[in-house]
Amino acid sequence: MERYSRQMLFMPIGEEGQRKITEKRVLIIGCGALGSANAENLARAGIGQMVLVDRDYVEWSNLQRQQLYTEADVENQIPKAVAAKARLHEINSEVEIGAYVMDADAITLQPLLRGIDLVMDATDNFDTRFMLNDLLQKASIPWIFGSCVGSTGMSYTIFPNESPCLRCLLDAIPVNGATCDSAGIISSAVQMVAAHQTTEALKILVEDQAALRTSLLSFDLWNNQYHTMKVERAKKQTCPSCGENPSYPSLNYQCRTKSEVLCGRNTVQIRATQAPDFQILKKRLKRMGAVKANDFLISVEYESYRLVFFQDGRTLIHGTNSIEKAKSIYYQLAG
């Protein structure tokens, strides 16, 4: 236990807390900036088992903030979950790590939840987060929400049947749909969110629930702003995800964002459950490529792809037959 001696000297953890940490199992959804930072923190802290899920591979633009990866990972196009597992084993070979290169949805995640004590949100879109919200409410597994863009970030800890869920929260608090691809990001914003997420995770792992932060935390490092907001009153008895009669809408097929490959067109169609605000979307897309728009649609040239957004919530991603790649591009631009 010498490697954890300084952590054990911290009284809220101690020897008993360290023993509990080494017995716990954490699932991390997304191995990008937040995922890699949290994974490294928990590996160094001595987590017993870690399960990593990510659908993407390492690219050059990741290296500025995604701390587990190297130039060799980019050159060899190593999937993030695989590269993260290899690096984490070098950091702490005692940690048991499972790595899954796949899209995280209600079906693929179901078997991975067995025996999980905590889920860390490191995703890049709210479709996945709402699915996680419903899935983990139903399974009664706590999870820690985190997001960051530009110099801003947010974090909130969700305990099923106790705290307001993500759906309750976002009904009360509007969230900017900007992404790292549209607004950029500085690495210190990632580290700040990860610091709060990892600290909340350690409280849960050592079973010190009384120490958990019950407020929503948000900050803007560049503009020297830091806020915590009490959100207990946001919890609704009528919430379809955590209320008295939950229906878990994001687990229903009708409520999911749907994707399909259009035969012979090298195009994927994505149908969102809610169409984006066209004025906001048009303004955001102008930063990213050549935009054309009329009363019915907005199109943008982005890298080697062309995206066409329709008023009814459909989007065509021209230039790929990969649903996974199309969804990744869609979330980068649509927020």
Side-chain angles (χ1 to χ4, degrees):
M1 300 293 282
E2 174 63 21
R3 73 185 303 158
Y4 309 119
S5 60
R6 300 304 184 269
Q7 185 166 278
M8 291 162 60
L9 286 172
F10 180 61
M11 288 185 61
I13 294 180
E15 290 188 20
E16 179 63 15
Q18 188 62 48
R19 180 188 63 78
K20 291 177 179 177
I21 291 172
T22 59
E23 294 174 350
K24 297 294 172 61
R25 195 165 189 242
V26 173
L27 171 62
I28 299 179
I29 311 295
C31 295
L34 289 178
S36 58
N38 277 296
E40 180 171 341
N41 290 344
L42 291 174
R44 292 186 184 277
I47 188 68
Q49 298 181 44
M50 188 186 304
V51 180
L52 308 174
V53 175
D54 194 282
R55 65 188 175 195
D56 210 349
Y57 57 88
V58 185
E59 299 180 89
W60 286 109
S61 62
N62 300 151
L63 299 183
Q64 168 253 351
R65 65 197 181 281
Q66 299 182 17
Q67 63 191 52
L68 289 178
Y69 311 124
T70 67
E71 293 181 355
D73 295 324
V74 177
E75 291 165 355
N76 294 312
Q77 293 188 314
I78 306 297
K80 290 183 181 180
V82 175
K85 178 180 178 178
R87 176 62 177 147
L88 293 169
H89 268 155
E90 292 178 346
I91 292 170
N92 190 343
S93 60
E94 297 175 353
V95 180
E96 183 180 329
I97 302 173
Y100 295 84
V101 183
M102 67 182 194
D103 203 13
D105 60 39
I107 296 173
T108 58
L109 289 179
Q110 195 73 47
L112 301 184
L113 293 179
R114 298 190 190 102
I116 291 293
D117 298 289
L118 173 67
V119 174
M120 305 292 286
D121 164 41
T123 60
D124 61 0
N125 67 87
F126 276 93
D127 275 343
T128 302
R129 290 188 180 109
F130 277 123
M131 177 276 296
L132 273 179
N133 185 66
D134 284 4
L135 188 65
L136 299 178
Q137 287 290 329
K138 192 173 183 179
S140 294
I141 298 174
W143 66 291
I144 303 175
F145 158 71
S147 69
C148 50
V149 64
S151 62
T152 69
M154 301 173 68
S155 179
Y156 178 62
T157 303
I158 300 174
F159 254 87
N161 305 315
E162 296 182 32
S163 60
C165 75
L166 186 67
R167 192 177 300 276
C168 291
L169 207 62
L170 296 188
D171 279 349
I173 303 168
V175 175
N176 190 325
T179 69
C180 297
D181 291 79
S182 63
I185 188 167
I186 56 175
S187 60
S188 51
V190 175
Q191 298 302 322
M192 179 68 81
V193 174
H196 285 286
Q197 283 188 292
T198 299
T199 304
E200 292 294 286
L202 289 173
K203 295 175 188 178
I204 292 173
L205 297 174
V206 302
E207 301 171 13
D208 188 4
Q209 192 168 339
L212 286 170
R213 173 175 39 79
T214 58
S215 58
L216 170 73
L217 178 143
S218 65
F219 63 82
D220 185 334
L221 293 177
W222 204 264
N223 293 301
N224 307 305
Q225 297 172 352
Y226 192 95
H227 302 285
T228 56
M229 184 183 301
K230 293 182 178 179
V231 294
E232 290 88 346
R233 292 184 180 180
K235 186 170 177 60
K236 298 190 230 175
Q237 296 303 315
T238 57
C239 175
S241 297
C242 72
E244 293 180 347
N245 298 295
S247 59
Y248 309 114
S250 291
L251 302 184
N252 298 331
Y253 177 78
Q254 293 79 4
C255 298
R256 298 179 202 165
T257 294
K258 302 172 183 65
S259 309
E260 61 178 323
V261 178
L262 301 187
C263 184
R265 294 184 57 186
N266 195 32
T267 298
V268 173
Q269 175 177 274
I270 294 179
R271 185 182 294 275
T273 56
Q274 183 177 350
D277 184 301
F278 256 40
Q279 292 304 315
I280 295 175
L281 180 63
K282 183 178 178 180
K283 184 177 179 181
R284 188 186 306 152
L285 293 177
K286 283 183 176 179
R287 305 176 187 171
M288 309 181 73
V291 173
K292 296 180 180 179
N294 56 38
D295 293 340
F296 310 99
L297 58 84
I298 301 174
S299 69
V300 61
E301 303 288 338
Y302 176 70
E303 297 180 349
S304 60
Y305 309 96
R306 181 165 59 90
L307 285 80
V308 182
F309 296 85
F310 294 89
Q311 286 276 16
D312 62 359
R314 289 180 303 113
T315 301
L316 298 180
I317 296 91
H318 299 284
T320 181
N321 281 323
S322 166
I323 288 178
E324 290 75 17
K325 184 63 178 177
K327 288 171 71 174
S328 176
I329 296 166
Y330 173 81
Y331 288 129
Q332 288 172 17
L333 273 67

